[in-house]
Amino acid sequence: MPISRFIFFSAKRRFAHASNLLPRFGSSKRIQSCGYTKSAKNNYYKKPTGHPVVNVETQASRSSGAYIIPPILLGFGGLLAFLHYNDERRAVKIGKDSYTGSDTAAAPIIGGPFTLVNSENQIVNEQDFLGNWVLLYFGYTSSPDIGPDQVRIMAKAIDTLESKENLKVLPVFVTIDPQRDTPAQLRAYLKEFDPRIVGLGGPVSAVRQMAQEYRVYFKKVEEEGDDYLVESSHSMYLIDPKMKVVRCFGVEYNAEQLSKEILKELKKHQVNA
Amino acid sequence: MLLEAYASAKQDEIHTDVLLQARQACYKARDAFYSCLEKHSDKKPTEIGSVGLLYPTECKPSREDYVKNCRVSWVKHFDRQYCKTKRTQRLLDDKETRRGV
């Protein structure tokens, strides 16, 4: 009697356990287990002879096997079905045209508002450049070789674009050395390259804020009192009329390549607009 | 507010030693010095310039001219660049003398 009672209780526990773990199971399992418990209950009232014990035992072992394998199989199948459905949902269908409406997310969004002083000692902010294409270069007048080269390339590219393609791009030179590059200094320096280049400087905090917005790295090196070099990335930014940074050009571009690339960007923008 | 804070700094002085003419003079002196170095590359370098650049005494006058025409930070910058190119050239030319490769 105690044996059958133990088996009955264990069967009941297993049934409860099963129902907790596998809720998705339909009523079929429960009916089966109900059948098992019912038979166990029936056995409880019978006299515990050898046969019923054996019967209950085999029933108990069959129930444990039956409890474990089908749920696992069904669970696995369910997982596969879920993954397949997820893949189908996430995949971009073949033949659907490329990612439209998201070319803004192709690169990190850099740029932002700024307020600086130009070489005529006037306050300038980004609103003044809206509506123009801008080629922006962060440099400093005391650069030994790369700075002047870059400014020269910039001036030549702007000139090529204006004379050959009749496209006006405004060149802007922002100094990353505002302590030494006063507006007068900027004016004298840039005048030698091209009168169209706008020189911007200002207090160190304003320049630093703009450099942060445009992710420009700059650092004073080789410092010997007032004589130092400024290490920076020496790259030019092409900005569209809505003040959004379209492209970044490094030092590897010469004047013709630069003008060609800028022309490409302008044409692309005209198609999109 | 911006303008006044900025105007308080000294505004009138212009560093002419970075403008076009000064730059040209500096480049010319620099090139003269380096060509002197190339010319006398077989001589033993005894003088020391900045950042570890050694040069023979024959090039001393051009060195002085170079240092006079360029800013100190520029001199160091160009010297460092020169040493780097020399080193890479030496590495590239040294192919025959390397063993085992």
Side-chain angles (χ1 to χ4, degrees), chain A residues 142 144-145 180 185 189 192-193 202 222 224 227, chain B residues 6 14-15 20 23 27 71 73-74 76 80:
Chain A
S142 319
D145 44 6
R180 282 189 304 188
Q185 169 80 9
Y189 184 77
E192 292 171 344
F193 291 100
E222 302 264 8
E224 252 186 73
D227 183 17
Chain B
Y6 198 50
I14 300 179
H15 307 280
L20 189 70
R23 281 205 306 272
Y27 296 157
R71 275 199 186 169
S73 55
W74 290 26
K76 283 202 270 198
R80 196 174 289 122

mmCIF file with all atom_site columns, all heavy atoms in Angstrom, chain A residues 142 144-145 180 185 189 192-193 202 222 224 227, chain B residues 6 14-15 20 23 27 71 73-74 76 80:
data_model
loop_
_atom_site.group_PDB
_atom_site.id
_atom_site.type_symbol
_atom_site.label_atom_id
_atom_site.label_alt_id
_atom_site.label_comp_id
_atom_site.label_asym_id
_atom_site.label_entity_id
_atom_site.label_seq_id
_atom_site.pdbx_PDB_ins_code
_atom_site.Cartn_x
_atom_site.Cartn_y
_atom_site.Cartn_z
_atom_site.occupancy
_atom_site.B_iso_or_equiv
_atom_site.pdbx_formal_charge
_atom_site.auth_seq_id
_atom_site.auth_comp_id
_atom_site.auth_asym_id
_atom_site.auth_atom_id
_atom_site.pdbx_PDB_model_num
ATOM 1   N N   . SER A 1 142 ? 50.470 78.867 -38.477 1.00 0.00 ? 142 SER A N   1
ATOM 2   C CA  . SER A 1 142 ? 51.865 78.535 -38.230 1.00 0.00 ? 142 SER A CA  1
ATOM 3   C C   . SER A 1 142 ? 52.227 77.120 -38.637 1.00 0.00 ? 142 SER A C   1
ATOM 4   O O   . SER A 1 142 ? 53.203 76.568 -38.158 1.00 0.00 ? 142 SER A O   1
ATOM 5   C CB  . SER A 1 142 ? 52.210 78.703 -36.751 1.00 0.00 ? 142 SER A CB  1
ATOM 6   O OG  . SER A 1 142 ? 51.624 79.854 -36.237 1.00 0.00 ? 142 SER A OG  1
ATOM 7   N N   . PRO A 1 144 ? 53.942 74.328 -40.687 1.00 0.00 ? 144 PRO A N   1
ATOM 8   C CA  . PRO A 1 144 ? 55.138 74.401 -41.523 1.00 0.00 ? 144 PRO A CA  1
ATOM 9   C C   . PRO A 1 144 ? 54.896 74.033 -42.991 1.00 0.00 ? 144 PRO A C   1
ATOM 10  O O   . PRO A 1 144 ? 55.322 74.760 -43.872 1.00 0.00 ? 144 PRO A O   1
ATOM 11  C CB  . PRO A 1 144 ? 56.119 73.415 -40.880 1.00 0.00 ? 144 PRO A CB  1
ATOM 12  C CG  . PRO A 1 144 ? 55.421 72.769 -39.787 1.00 0.00 ? 144 PRO A CG  1
ATOM 13  C CD  . PRO A 1 144 ? 54.101 73.386 -39.590 1.00 0.00 ? 144 PRO A CD  1
ATOM 14  N N   . ASP A 1 145 ? 54.230 72.900 -43.228 1.00 0.00 ? 145 ASP A N   1
ATOM 15  C CA  . ASP A 1 145 ? 54.088 72.534 -44.632 1.00 0.00 ? 145 ASP A CA  1
ATOM 16  C C   . ASP A 1 145 ? 52.685 72.077 -45.010 1.00 0.00 ? 145 ASP A C   1
ATOM 17  O O   . ASP A 1 145 ? 52.171 72.452 -46.054 1.00 0.00 ? 145 ASP A O   1
ATOM 18  C CB  . ASP A 1 145 ? 55.097 71.440 -45.001 1.00 0.00 ? 145 ASP A CB  1
ATOM 19  C CG  . ASP A 1 145 ? 55.160 70.361 -43.918 1.00 0.00 ? 145 ASP A CG  1
ATOM 20  O OD1 . ASP A 1 145 ? 54.338 70.426 -42.979 1.00 0.00 ? 145 ASP A OD1 1
ATOM 21  O OD2 . ASP A 1 145 ? 56.032 69.499 -44.006 1.00 0.00 ? 145 ASP A OD2 1
ATOM 22  N N   . ARG A 1 180 ? 47.114 82.380 -31.235 1.00 0.00 ? 180 ARG A N   1
ATOM 23  C CA  . ARG A 1 180 ? 48.076 83.125 -32.047 1.00 0.00 ? 180 ARG A CA  1
ATOM 24  C C   . ARG A 1 180 ? 47.446 83.690 -33.308 1.00 0.00 ? 180 ARG A C   1
ATOM 25  O O   . ARG A 1 180 ? 47.944 84.665 -33.866 1.00 0.00 ? 180 ARG A O   1
ATOM 26  C CB  . ARG A 1 180 ? 49.239 82.216 -32.447 1.00 0.00 ? 180 ARG A CB  1
ATOM 27  C CG  . ARG A 1 180 ? 50.223 82.018 -31.333 1.00 0.00 ? 180 ARG A CG  1
ATOM 28  C CD  . ARG A 1 180 ? 51.451 81.307 -31.815 1.00 0.00 ? 180 ARG A CD  1
ATOM 29  N NE  . ARG A 1 180 ? 51.156 80.054 -32.430 1.00 0.00 ? 180 ARG A NE  1
ATOM 30  C CZ  . ARG A 1 180 ? 52.074 79.176 -32.791 1.00 0.00 ? 180 ARG A CZ  1
ATOM 31  N NH1 . ARG A 1 180 ? 53.340 79.434 -32.579 1.00 0.00 ? 180 ARG A NH1 1
ATOM 32  N NH2 . ARG A 1 180 ? 51.747 78.049 -33.364 1.00 0.00 ? 180 ARG A NH2 1
ATOM 33  N N   . GLN A 1 185 ? 45.846 88.424 -38.346 1.00 0.00 ? 185 GLN A N   1
ATOM 34  C CA  . GLN A 1 185 ? 46.756 87.378 -38.822 1.00 0.00 ? 185 GLN A CA  1
ATOM 35  C C   . GLN A 1 185 ? 46.083 86.525 -39.887 1.00 0.00 ? 185 GLN A C   1
ATOM 36  O O   . GLN A 1 185 ? 46.655 86.223 -40.933 1.00 0.00 ? 185 GLN A O   1
ATOM 37  C CB  . GLN A 1 185 ? 47.172 86.512 -37.629 1.00 0.00 ? 185 GLN A CB  1
ATOM 38  C CG  . GLN A 1 185 ? 47.896 85.257 -37.957 1.00 0.00 ? 185 GLN A CG  1
ATOM 39  C CD  . GLN A 1 185 ? 49.357 85.484 -38.251 1.00 0.00 ? 185 GLN A CD  1
ATOM 40  O OE1 . GLN A 1 185 ? 49.865 86.577 -38.055 1.00 0.00 ? 185 GLN A OE1 1
ATOM 41  N NE2 . GLN A 1 185 ? 50.016 84.480 -38.735 1.00 0.00 ? 185 GLN A NE2 1
ATOM 42  N N   . TYR A 1 189 ? 47.196 86.124 -43.759 1.00 0.00 ? 189 TYR A N   1
ATOM 43  C CA  . TYR A 1 189 ? 47.598 84.793 -44.230 1.00 0.00 ? 189 TYR A CA  1
ATOM 44  C C   . TYR A 1 189 ? 46.752 84.343 -45.419 1.00 0.00 ? 189 TYR A C   1
ATOM 45  O O   . TYR A 1 189 ? 47.262 83.899 -46.439 1.00 0.00 ? 189 TYR A O   1
ATOM 46  C CB  . TYR A 1 189 ? 47.431 83.822 -43.064 1.00 0.00 ? 189 TYR A CB  1
ATOM 47  C CG  . TYR A 1 189 ? 47.871 82.417 -43.304 1.00 0.00 ? 189 TYR A CG  1
ATOM 48  C CD1 . TYR A 1 189 ? 49.217 82.071 -43.289 1.00 0.00 ? 189 TYR A CD1 1
ATOM 49  C CD2 . TYR A 1 189 ? 46.939 81.412 -43.518 1.00 0.00 ? 189 TYR A CD2 1
ATOM 50  C CE1 . TYR A 1 189 ? 49.617 80.765 -43.480 1.00 0.00 ? 189 TYR A CE1 1
ATOM 51  C CE2 . TYR A 1 189 ? 47.332 80.113 -43.707 1.00 0.00 ? 189 TYR A CE2 1
ATOM 52  C CZ  . TYR A 1 189 ? 48.667 79.791 -43.685 1.00 0.00 ? 189 TYR A CZ  1
ATOM 53  O OH  . TYR A 1 189 ? 49.053 78.506 -43.872 1.00 0.00 ? 189 TYR A OH  1
ATOM 54  N N   . GLU A 1 192 ? 46.926 85.798 -49.136 1.00 0.00 ? 192 GLU A N   1
ATOM 55  C CA  . GLU A 1 192 ? 47.942 85.347 -50.086 1.00 0.00 ? 192 GLU A CA  1
ATOM 56  C C   . GLU A 1 192 ? 47.477 84.158 -50.907 1.00 0.00 ? 192 GLU A C   1
ATOM 57  O O   . GLU A 1 192 ? 48.069 83.839 -51.928 1.00 0.00 ? 192 GLU A O   1
ATOM 58  C CB  . GLU A 1 192 ? 49.210 84.955 -49.321 1.00 0.00 ? 192 GLU A CB  1
ATOM 59  C CG  . GLU A 1 192 ? 49.874 86.160 -48.692 1.00 0.00 ? 192 GLU A CG  1
ATOM 60  C CD  . GLU A 1 192 ? 50.979 85.748 -47.761 1.00 0.00 ? 192 GLU A CD  1
ATOM 61  O OE1 . GLU A 1 192 ? 51.016 84.555 -47.398 1.00 0.00 ? 192 GLU A OE1 1
ATOM 62  O OE2 . GLU A 1 192 ? 51.783 86.604 -47.408 1.00 0.00 ? 192 GLU A OE2 1
ATOM 63  N N   . PHE A 1 193 ? 46.438 83.470 -50.429 1.00 0.00 ? 193 PHE A N   1
ATOM 64  C CA  . PHE A 1 193 ? 45.969 82.306 -51.176 1.00 0.00 ? 193 PHE A CA  1
ATOM 65  C C   . PHE A 1 193 ? 44.816 82.682 -52.076 1.00 0.00 ? 193 PHE A C   1
ATOM 66  O O   . PHE A 1 193 ? 44.856 82.468 -53.278 1.00 0.00 ? 193 PHE A O   1
ATOM 67  C CB  . PHE A 1 193 ? 45.515 81.207 -50.212 1.00 0.00 ? 193 PHE A CB  1
ATOM 68  C CG  . PHE A 1 193 ? 46.645 80.601 -49.455 1.00 0.00 ? 193 PHE A CG  1
ATOM 69  C CD1 . PHE A 1 193 ? 46.906 80.990 -48.155 1.00 0.00 ? 193 PHE A CD1 1
ATOM 70  C CD2 . PHE A 1 193 ? 47.459 79.655 -50.043 1.00 0.00 ? 193 PHE A CD2 1
ATOM 71  C CE1 . PHE A 1 193 ? 47.954 80.436 -47.457 1.00 0.00 ? 193 PHE A CE1 1
ATOM 72  C CE2 . PHE A 1 193 ? 48.505 79.100 -49.347 1.00 0.00 ? 193 PHE A CE2 1
ATOM 73  C CZ  . PHE A 1 193 ? 48.762 79.490 -48.052 1.00 0.00 ? 193 PHE A CZ  1
ATOM 74  N N   . GLY A 1 202 ? 38.359 83.061 -32.931 1.00 0.00 ? 202 GLY A N   1
ATOM 75  C CA  . GLY A 1 202 ? 37.525 83.438 -31.793 1.00 0.00 ? 202 GLY A CA  1
ATOM 76  C C   . GLY A 1 202 ? 38.177 83.020 -30.505 1.00 0.00 ? 202 GLY A C   1
ATOM 77  O O   . GLY A 1 202 ? 39.336 82.603 -30.482 1.00 0.00 ? 202 GLY A O   1
ATOM 78  N N   . GLU A 1 222 ? 55.280 70.138 -29.336 1.00 0.00 ? 222 GLU A N   1
ATOM 79  C CA  . GLU A 1 222 ? 56.562 70.833 -29.499 1.00 0.00 ? 222 GLU A CA  1
ATOM 80  C C   . GLU A 1 222 ? 56.547 72.188 -28.835 1.00 0.00 ? 222 GLU A C   1
ATOM 81  O O   . GLU A 1 222 ? 57.009 73.167 -29.400 1.00 0.00 ? 222 GLU A O   1
ATOM 82  C CB  . GLU A 1 222 ? 56.854 71.072 -31.001 1.00 0.00 ? 222 GLU A CB  1
ATOM 83  C CG  . GLU A 1 222 ? 56.893 69.850 -31.838 1.00 0.00 ? 222 GLU A CG  1
ATOM 84  C CD  . GLU A 1 222 ? 58.315 69.376 -32.018 1.00 0.00 ? 222 GLU A CD  1
ATOM 85  O OE1 . GLU A 1 222 ? 59.214 69.921 -31.358 1.00 0.00 ? 222 GLU A OE1 1
ATOM 86  O OE2 . GLU A 1 222 ? 58.507 68.457 -32.793 1.00 0.00 ? 222 GLU A OE2 1
ATOM 87  N N   . GLU A 1 224 ? 57.401 75.328 -26.935 1.00 0.00 ? 224 GLU A N   1
ATOM 88  C CA  . GLU A 1 224 ? 58.562 76.014 -26.350 1.00 0.00 ? 224 GLU A CA  1
ATOM 89  C C   . GLU A 1 224 ? 58.139 77.443 -26.137 1.00 0.00 ? 224 GLU A C   1
ATOM 90  O O   . GLU A 1 224 ? 58.505 78.326 -26.902 1.00 0.00 ? 224 GLU A O   1
ATOM 91  C CB  . GLU A 1 224 ? 59.737 75.930 -27.319 1.00 0.00 ? 224 GLU A CB  1
ATOM 92  C CG  . GLU A 1 224 ? 60.809 74.987 -26.861 1.00 0.00 ? 224 GLU A CG  1
ATOM 93  C CD  . GLU A 1 224 ? 62.023 75.026 -27.768 1.00 0.00 ? 224 GLU A CD  1
ATOM 94  O OE1 . GLU A 1 224 ? 62.750 76.029 -27.705 1.00 0.00 ? 224 GLU A OE1 1
ATOM 95  O OE2 . GLU A 1 224 ? 62.196 74.075 -28.548 1.00 0.00 ? 224 GLU A OE2 1
ATOM 96  N N   . ASP A 1 227 ? 56.176 79.208 -29.107 1.00 0.00 ? 227 ASP A N   1
ATOM 97  C CA  . ASP A 1 227 ? 56.425 78.577 -30.388 1.00 0.00 ? 227 ASP A CA  1
ATOM 98  C C   . ASP A 1 227 ? 56.002 77.129 -30.299 1.00 0.00 ? 227 ASP A C   1
ATOM 99  O O   . ASP A 1 227 ? 56.599 76.334 -29.598 1.00 0.00 ? 227 ASP A O   1
ATOM 100 C CB  . ASP A 1 227 ? 57.933 78.678 -30.687 1.00 0.00 ? 227 ASP A CB  1
ATOM 101 C CG  . ASP A 1 227 ? 58.263 78.101 -32.050 1.00 0.00 ? 227 ASP A CG  1
ATOM 102 O OD1 . ASP A 1 227 ? 57.323 77.938 -32.854 1.00 0.00 ? 227 ASP A OD1 1
ATOM 103 O OD2 . ASP A 1 227 ? 59.441 77.830 -32.292 1.00 0.00 ? 227 ASP A OD2 1
ATOM 104 N N   . TYR B 2 6   ? 37.255 88.785 -26.927 1.00 0.00 ? 6   TYR B N   1
ATOM 105 C CA  . TYR B 2 6   ? 38.292 88.516 -27.906 1.00 0.00 ? 6   TYR B CA  1
ATOM 106 C C   . TYR B 2 6   ? 39.136 89.739 -28.149 1.00 0.00 ? 6   TYR B C   1
ATOM 107 O O   . TYR B 2 6   ? 40.325 89.654 -28.396 1.00 0.00 ? 6   TYR B O   1
ATOM 108 C CB  . TYR B 2 6   ? 37.634 88.049 -29.209 1.00 0.00 ? 6   TYR B CB  1
ATOM 109 C CG  . TYR B 2 6   ? 38.582 87.354 -30.123 1.00 0.00 ? 6   TYR B CG  1
ATOM 110 C CD1 . TYR B 2 6   ? 39.399 86.331 -29.667 1.00 0.00 ? 6   TYR B CD1 1
ATOM 111 C CD2 . TYR B 2 6   ? 38.670 87.714 -31.455 1.00 0.00 ? 6   TYR B CD2 1
ATOM 112 C CE1 . TYR B 2 6   ? 40.271 85.693 -30.512 1.00 0.00 ? 6   TYR B CE1 1
ATOM 113 C CE2 . TYR B 2 6   ? 39.535 87.069 -32.300 1.00 0.00 ? 6   TYR B CE2 1
ATOM 114 C CZ  . TYR B 2 6   ? 40.331 86.065 -31.823 1.00 0.00 ? 6   TYR B CZ  1
ATOM 115 O OH  . TYR B 2 6   ? 41.189 85.428 -32.661 1.00 0.00 ? 6   TYR B OH  1
ATOM 116 N N   . ILE B 2 14  ? 51.037 90.825 -36.233 1.00 0.00 ? 14  ILE B N   1
ATOM 117 C CA  . ILE B 2 14  ? 50.891 89.746 -37.194 1.00 0.00 ? 14  ILE B CA  1
ATOM 118 C C   . ILE B 2 14  ? 52.222 89.008 -37.231 1.00 0.00 ? 14  ILE B C   1
ATOM 119 O O   . ILE B 2 14  ? 53.276 89.613 -37.334 1.00 0.00 ? 14  ILE B O   1
ATOM 120 C CB  . ILE B 2 14  ? 50.578 90.308 -38.591 1.00 0.00 ? 14  ILE B CB  1
ATOM 121 C CG1 . ILE B 2 14  ? 49.283 91.101 -38.562 1.00 0.00 ? 14  ILE B CG1 1
ATOM 122 C CG2 . ILE B 2 14  ? 50.467 89.208 -39.601 1.00 0.00 ? 14  ILE B CG2 1
ATOM 123 C CD1 . ILE B 2 14  ? 48.927 91.699 -39.888 1.00 0.00 ? 14  ILE B CD1 1
ATOM 124 N N   . HIS B 2 15  ? 52.130 87.705 -37.167 1.00 0.00 ? 15  HIS B N   1
ATOM 125 C CA  . HIS B 2 15  ? 53.370 86.929 -37.241 1.00 0.00 ? 15  HIS B CA  1
ATOM 126 C C   . HIS B 2 15  ? 53.776 86.816 -38.703 1.00 0.00 ? 15  HIS B C   1
ATOM 127 O O   . HIS B 2 15  ? 53.243 85.993 -39.446 1.00 0.00 ? 15  HIS B O   1
ATOM 128 C CB  . HIS B 2 15  ? 53.155 85.520 -36.672 1.00 0.00 ? 15  HIS B CB  1
ATOM 129 C CG  . HIS B 2 15  ? 52.577 85.530 -35.299 1.00 0.00 ? 15  HIS B CG  1
ATOM 130 N ND1 . HIS B 2 15  ? 53.313 85.749 -34.184 1.00 0.00 ? 15  HIS B ND1 1
ATOM 131 C CD2 . HIS B 2 15  ? 51.303 85.359 -34.884 1.00 0.00 ? 15  HIS B CD2 1
ATOM 132 C CE1 . HIS B 2 15  ? 52.520 85.693 -33.120 1.00 0.00 ? 15  HIS B CE1 1
ATOM 133 N NE2 . HIS B 2 15  ? 51.312 85.463 -33.519 1.00 0.00 ? 15  HIS B NE2 1
ATOM 134 N N   . LEU B 2 20  ? 53.773 84.099 -46.647 1.00 0.00 ? 20  LEU B N   1
ATOM 135 C CA  . LEU B 2 20  ? 54.282 83.453 -47.853 1.00 0.00 ? 20  LEU B CA  1
ATOM 136 C C   . LEU B 2 20  ? 55.784 83.633 -48.045 1.00 0.00 ? 20  LEU B C   1
ATOM 137 O O   . LEU B 2 20  ? 56.509 82.667 -48.235 1.00 0.00 ? 20  LEU B O   1
ATOM 138 C CB  . LEU B 2 20  ? 53.529 84.016 -49.061 1.00 0.00 ? 20  LEU B CB  1
ATOM 139 C CG  . LEU B 2 20  ? 53.786 83.292 -50.368 1.00 0.00 ? 20  LEU B CG  1
ATOM 140 C CD1 . LEU B 2 20  ? 53.152 81.931 -50.324 1.00 0.00 ? 20  LEU B CD1 1
ATOM 141 C CD2 . LEU B 2 20  ? 53.267 84.084 -51.538 1.00 0.00 ? 20  LEU B CD2 1
ATOM 142 N N   . ARG B 2 23  ? 57.876 81.833 -45.571 1.00 0.00 ? 23  ARG B N   1
ATOM 143 C CA  . ARG B 2 23  ? 57.806 80.400 -45.811 1.00 0.00 ? 23  ARG B CA  1
ATOM 144 C C   . ARG B 2 23  ? 58.715 80.010 -46.957 1.00 0.00 ? 23  ARG B C   1
ATOM 145 O O   . ARG B 2 23  ? 59.465 79.032 -46.881 1.00 0.00 ? 23  ARG B O   1
ATOM 146 C CB  . ARG B 2 23  ? 56.375 79.975 -46.138 1.00 0.00 ? 23  ARG B CB  1
ATOM 147 C CG  . ARG B 2 23  ? 55.474 79.840 -44.946 1.00 0.00 ? 23  ARG B CG  1
ATOM 148 C CD  . ARG B 2 23  ? 54.347 78.878 -45.230 1.00 0.00 ? 23  ARG B CD  1
ATOM 149 N NE  . ARG B 2 23  ? 53.594 79.217 -46.443 1.00 0.00 ? 23  ARG B NE  1
ATOM 150 C CZ  . ARG B 2 23  ? 52.555 80.031 -46.473 1.00 0.00 ? 23  ARG B CZ  1
ATOM 151 N NH1 . ARG B 2 23  ? 52.119 80.593 -45.362 1.00 0.00 ? 23  ARG B NH1 1
ATOM 152 N NH2 . ARG B 2 23  ? 51.930 80.285 -47.601 1.00 0.00 ? 23  ARG B NH2 1
ATOM 153 N N   . TYR B 2 27  ? 61.793 77.410 -46.778 1.00 0.00 ? 27  TYR B N   1
ATOM 154 C CA  . TYR B 2 27  ? 61.904 76.196 -47.582 1.00 0.00 ? 27  TYR B CA  1
ATOM 155 C C   . TYR B 2 27  ? 63.198 76.177 -48.362 1.00 0.00 ? 27  TYR B C   1
ATOM 156 O O   . TYR B 2 27  ? 63.855 75.145 -48.487 1.00 0.00 ? 27  TYR B O   1
ATOM 157 C CB  . TYR B 2 27  ? 60.724 76.070 -48.554 1.00 0.00 ? 27  TYR B CB  1
ATOM 158 C CG  . TYR B 2 27  ? 59.368 75.922 -47.909 1.00 0.00 ? 27  TYR B CG  1
ATOM 159 C CD1 . TYR B 2 27  ? 58.213 76.266 -48.602 1.00 0.00 ? 27  TYR B CD1 1
ATOM 160 C CD2 . TYR B 2 27  ? 59.217 75.427 -46.615 1.00 0.00 ? 27  TYR B CD2 1
ATOM 161 C CE1 . TYR B 2 27  ? 56.964 76.125 -48.032 1.00 0.00 ? 27  TYR B CE1 1
ATOM 162 C CE2 . TYR B 2 27  ? 57.978 75.298 -46.041 1.00 0.00 ? 27  TYR B CE2 1
ATOM 163 C CZ  . TYR B 2 27  ? 56.851 75.646 -46.757 1.00 0.00 ? 27  TYR B CZ  1
ATOM 164 O OH  . TYR B 2 27  ? 55.604 75.518 -46.179 1.00 0.00 ? 27  TYR B OH  1
ATOM 165 N N   . ARG B 2 71  ? 61.321 79.012 -38.051 1.00 0.00 ? 71  ARG B N   1
ATOM 166 C CA  . ARG B 2 71  ? 61.026 78.921 -36.621 1.00 0.00 ? 71  ARG B CA  1
ATOM 167 C C   . ARG B 2 71  ? 61.607 77.658 -36.031 1.00 0.00 ? 71  ARG B C   1
ATOM 168 O O   . ARG B 2 71  ? 61.771 76.661 -36.719 1.00 0.00 ? 71  ARG B O   1
ATOM 169 C CB  . ARG B 2 71  ? 59.521 78.849 -36.455 1.00 0.00 ? 71  ARG B CB  1
ATOM 170 C CG  . ARG B 2 71  ? 58.853 80.171 -36.443 1.00 0.00 ? 71  ARG B CG  1
ATOM 171 C CD  . ARG B 2 71  ? 57.511 79.981 -35.821 1.00 0.00 ? 71  ARG B CD  1
ATOM 172 N NE  . ARG B 2 71  ? 56.712 81.178 -35.891 1.00 0.00 ? 71  ARG B NE  1
ATOM 173 C CZ  . ARG B 2 71  ? 55.433 81.204 -35.614 1.00 0.00 ? 71  ARG B CZ  1
ATOM 174 N NH1 . ARG B 2 71  ? 54.820 80.089 -35.287 1.00 0.00 ? 71  ARG B NH1 1
ATOM 175 N NH2 . ARG B 2 71  ? 54.774 82.317 -35.668 1.00 0.00 ? 71  ARG B NH2 1
ATOM 176 N N   . SER B 2 73  ? 60.282 75.474 -34.023 1.00 0.00 ? 73  SER B N   1
ATOM 177 C CA  . SER B 2 73  ? 59.399 74.303 -34.111 1.00 0.00 ? 73  SER B CA  1
ATOM 178 C C   . SER B 2 73  ? 59.381 73.756 -35.531 1.00 0.00 ? 73  SER B C   1
ATOM 179 O O   . SER B 2 73  ? 59.293 72.545 -35.742 1.00 0.00 ? 73  SER B O   1
ATOM 180 C CB  . SER B 2 73  ? 57.996 74.671 -33.651 1.00 0.00 ? 73  SER B CB  1
ATOM 181 O OG  . SER B 2 73  ? 57.513 75.768 -34.390 1.00 0.00 ? 73  SER B OG  1
ATOM 182 N N   . TRP B 2 74  ? 59.524 74.644 -36.510 1.00 0.00 ? 74  TRP B N   1
ATOM 183 C CA  . TRP B 2 74  ? 59.551 74.169 -37.892 1.00 0.00 ? 74  TRP B CA  1
ATOM 184 C C   . TRP B 2 74  ? 60.828 73.394 -38.167 1.00 0.00 ? 74  TRP B C   1
ATOM 185 O O   . TRP B 2 74  ? 60.823 72.377 -38.856 1.00 0.00 ? 74  TRP B O   1
ATOM 186 C CB  . TRP B 2 74  ? 59.457 75.357 -38.854 1.00 0.00 ? 74  TRP B CB  1
ATOM 187 C CG  . TRP B 2 74  ? 58.128 76.019 -38.856 1.00 0.00 ? 74  TRP B CG  1
ATOM 188 C CD1 . TRP B 2 74  ? 57.220 76.054 -37.849 1.00 0.00 ? 74  TRP B CD1 1
ATOM 189 C CD2 . TRP B 2 74  ? 57.574 76.773 -39.913 1.00 0.00 ? 74  TRP B CD2 1
ATOM 190 N NE1 . TRP B 2 74  ? 56.126 76.776 -38.223 1.00 0.00 ? 74  TRP B NE1 1
ATOM 191 C CE2 . TRP B 2 74  ? 56.319 77.228 -39.490 1.00 0.00 ? 74  TRP B CE2 1
ATOM 192 C CE3 . TRP B 2 74  ? 58.017 77.104 -41.196 1.00 0.00 ? 74  TRP B CE3 1
ATOM 193 C CZ2 . TRP B 2 74  ? 55.499 78.001 -40.300 1.00 0.00 ? 74  TRP B CZ2 1
ATOM 194 C CZ3 . TRP B 2 74  ? 57.197 77.871 -42.004 1.00 0.00 ? 74  TRP B CZ3 1
ATOM 195 C CH2 . TRP B 2 74  ? 55.952 78.319 -41.552 1.00 0.00 ? 74  TRP B CH2 1
ATOM 196 N N   . LYS B 2 76  ? 62.580 71.710 -36.068 1.00 0.00 ? 76  LYS B N   1
ATOM 197 C CA  . LYS B 2 76  ? 62.465 70.378 -35.460 1.00 0.00 ? 76  LYS B CA  1
ATOM 198 C C   . LYS B 2 76  ? 61.567 69.485 -36.303 1.00 0.00 ? 76  LYS B C   1
ATOM 199 O O   . LYS B 2 76  ? 61.855 68.303 -36.514 1.00 0.00 ? 76  LYS B O   1
ATOM 200 C CB  . LYS B 2 76  ? 61.893 70.508 -34.045 1.00 0.00 ? 76  LYS B CB  1
ATOM 201 C CG  . LYS B 2 76  ? 62.926 70.997 -33.037 1.00 0.00 ? 76  LYS B CG  1
ATOM 202 C CD  . LYS B 2 76  ? 62.543 70.614 -31.645 1.00 0.00 ? 76  LYS B CD  1
ATOM 203 C CE  . LYS B 2 76  ? 61.697 71.713 -31.025 1.00 0.00 ? 76  LYS B CE  1
ATOM 204 N NZ  . LYS B 2 76  ? 61.645 71.614 -29.574 1.00 0.00 ? 76  LYS B NZ  1
ATOM 205 N N   . ARG B 2 80  ? 62.848 66.087 -38.101 1.00 0.00 ? 80  ARG B N   1
ATOM 206 C CA  . ARG B 2 80  ? 62.278 64.796 -37.752 1.00 0.00 ? 80  ARG B CA  1
ATOM 207 C C   . ARG B 2 80  ? 61.801 64.067 -39.003 1.00 0.00 ? 80  ARG B C   1
ATOM 208 O O   . ARG B 2 80  ? 61.998 62.879 -39.181 1.00 0.00 ? 80  ARG B O   1
ATOM 209 C CB  . ARG B 2 80  ? 61.129 64.978 -36.767 1.00 0.00 ? 80  ARG B CB  1
ATOM 210 C CG  . ARG B 2 80  ? 60.749 63.694 -36.066 1.00 0.00 ? 80  ARG B CG  1
ATOM 211 C CD  . ARG B 2 80  ? 59.708 63.896 -35.000 1.00 0.00 ? 80  ARG B CD  1
ATOM 212 N NE  . ARG B 2 80  ? 60.246 64.595 -33.843 1.00 0.00 ? 80  ARG B NE  1
ATOM 213 C CZ  . ARG B 2 80  ? 59.774 65.735 -33.378 1.00 0.00 ? 80  ARG B CZ  1
ATOM 214 N NH1 . ARG B 2 80  ? 58.758 66.316 -33.946 1.00 0.00 ? 80  ARG B NH1 1
ATOM 215 N NH2 . ARG B 2 80  ? 60.323 66.298 -32.331 1.00 0.00 ? 80  ARG B NH2 1
#
